[in-house]
Amino acid sequence: MNKISVAQLSALLLSCDVFVLVCLTSSITLTTLLGFSIGTAIQLIIAVPALFCLSRGEKISFSIANRWIFLIYSIIWGGLIFIRIWQTSEVIYIPPNNIFSEKLVITALVGLVCLYISSTGLKPLARSAVIVGGFGVICLVVIILGALSKAEISHITPKNASLENEIFTGLAMSGNIGTFILLAENINYKKIKTTALYFLFRALLIALIGFISILVAGKINTRFPVIMAVQLSQPIKSQRIDSVFILIFVVLAIISLALQAIVSAELLKKIFPKFLRYRTTVSLLLMTLAGLCLSDTNLYSSFYAITFIIAFVVSSLITLVGQKGD
């Protein structure tokens, strides 16, 4: 994969994190934000062994076993991204009567765009993410200004929410941690400092968006609290989300999916050196199949959270053992 800067790496991953947060289908409370923060801290801790390896010049993807682990990891995460796109599309536009054909149309259109973007490589996608990130900051400022007149402290009410479940939810939403470690191999900066800054900015961004959602839509029983908060906060009066924010959502979705396609295609290249063509196409097809197979599962279950952590810890241990064996 191409070398990218810290700013490009951060923009890529934060774009993916915001997309997943926008697609959240459970209520947001202060307990939720606390759980997400603890989940972020847990991920930072389990990332330390991998960062130690990277700081010594080792590559996580050097091991054949790790290549397979992260290939399966990225395909599953890509499938979960597809599911989120399908689910969220129901509230950002009026879907047709045939839900199955809707999935096919959305998958085909998004897949074609991702296929084109992925063919250009990681660096152009990373540059685009920086531009999208800047535009996203402007949109976030607009949302905050619109939320000032609609925010109510009374929306911050205690609700029956398990901190343990919220931690698992936060961990299940953070499939990008595997992608982060693979991308960290392609930056020439201090790995630990870069990681700390990324996790810090991610925690602050999630806290900001989550707190706005609580203040604006905290008492509204809705499946997509962040989208509802955006709908209520935007200065443009409309029953549905404004077209500008639809555009942002689509771009974030494409960045998230294209990133997984690029990572998966690169891993396929390393596992099968003679597999020179159609790697990205195969990756997108596998992600689509994974999404169809997992579409009836709970995206925020402890199963996904624990699976992501185990995959990450096992790959780090494999790299550490390999170091000791040299």
Side-chain angles (χ1 to χ4, degrees), residues 123-296:
K123 198 157 190 174
L125 179 64
R127 289 173 177 170
S128 301
V130 174
I131 298 173
V132 173
F135 190 60
V137 170
I138 296 175
C139 292
L140 182 59
V141 172
V142 172
I143 293 174
I144 293 174
L145 294 177
L148 291 177
S149 60
K150 302 175 180 67
E152 295 184 19
I153 300 297
S154 61
H155 288 174
I156 306 178
T157 56
K159 294 183 179 180
N160 294 327
S162 168
L163 179 60
E164 180 182 355
N165 290 338
E166 299 295 356
I167 293 174
F168 280 130
T169 298
L171 291 172
M173 291 172 58
S174 304
N176 292 313
I177 180 64
T179 310
F180 167 75
I181 289 300
L182 292 177
L183 294 181
E185 295 180 352
N186 297 275
I187 58 174
N188 297 321
Y189 298 88
K190 294 182 179 179
K191 305 294 191 296
I192 296 179
K193 182 178 180 180
T194 299
T195 302
L197 289 175
Y198 162 63
F199 278 103
L200 176 61
F201 282 123
R202 188 180 78 173
L204 292 175
L205 187 60
I206 291 176
L208 177 60
I209 296 176
F211 194 62
I212 292 173
S213 300
I214 294 173
L215 291 176
V216 175
K219 287 188 175 181
I220 300 176
N221 185 16
T222 177
R223 189 182 177 194
F224 297 93
V226 176
I227 292 179
M228 176 59 69
V230 172
Q231 290 176 330
L232 297 175
S233 300
Q234 60 181 336
I236 301 174
K237 301 295 182 181
S238 174
Q239 292 183 347
R240 287 189 172 268
I241 194 169
D242 184 68
S243 57
V244 174
F245 298 108
I246 294 178
L247 178 61
I248 287 292
F249 168 80
V250 172
V251 172
L252 291 178
I254 290 173
I255 288 176
S256 302
L257 200 57
L259 178 59
Q260 296 308 312
I262 291 174
V263 170
S264 299
E266 184 68 19
L267 290 169
L268 280 173
K269 179 181 177 181
K270 291 180 178 180
I271 295 173
F272 305 105
K274 295 183 179 181
F275 187 9
L276 301 178
R277 302 179 64 184
Y278 307 117
R279 294 191 307 271
T280 305
T281 303
V282 170
S283 297
L284 288 169
L285 288 175
L286 290 174
M287 290 177 193
T288 303
L289 290 175
L292 291 173
C293 293
L294 301 172
S295 58
D296 292 330

Side-chain angles (χ1 to χ4, degrees), residues 19 23 25 75-96 98-111 223-224 227 249 253 257 284-297 299:
F19 168 76
C23 297
T25 57
I75 288 173
I76 291 176
W77 183 240
L80 298 181
I81 291 174
F82 261 125
I83 296 173
R84 287 178 166 88
I85 294 174
W86 296 334
Q87 290 179 343
T88 314
S89 65
E90 299 174 9
V91 297
I92 63 173
Y93 80 105
I94 301 175
N98 191 330
I99 301 300
F100 185 71
S101 65
E102 174 203 356
K103 285 186 178 182
L104 288 179
V105 172
I106 292 174
T107 303
L109 293 176
V110 173
R223 189 182 177 194
F224 297 93
I227 292 179
F249 168 80
L257 200 57
L284 288 169
L285 288 175
L286 290 174
M287 290 177 193
T288 303
L289 290 175
L292 291 173
C293 293
L294 301 172
S295 58
D296 292 330
T297 62
L299 301 183

Side-chain angles (χ1 to χ4, degrees), residues 7-85:
Q8 292 169 341
L9 173 67
S10 300
L12 266 176
L13 295 172
L14 290 175
S15 295
C16 299
D17 292 329
V18 171
F19 168 76
V20 175
L21 184 60
V22 168
C23 297
L24 180 64
T25 57
S26 61
S27 60
I28 299 179
T29 66
L30 292 181
T31 305
T32 303
L33 299 184
L34 177 60
F36 288 4
S37 299
I38 295 175
T40 299
I42 291 174
Q43 287 186 322
L44 178 58
I45 292 172
I46 64 174
V48 170
L51 292 171
F52 173 76
C53 296
L54 292 177
S55 65
R56 292 172 59 91
E58 295 288 329
K59 287 185 177 293
I60 302 297
S61 61
F62 183 78
S63 165
I64 295 294
N66 283 349
R67 292 173 185 175
W68 277 105
I69 289 173
F70 280 109
L71 176 62
I72 297 172
Y73 186 113
S74 62
I75 288 173
I76 291 176
W77 183 240
L80 298 181
I81 291 174
F82 261 125
I83 296 173
R84 287 178 166 88
I85 294 174

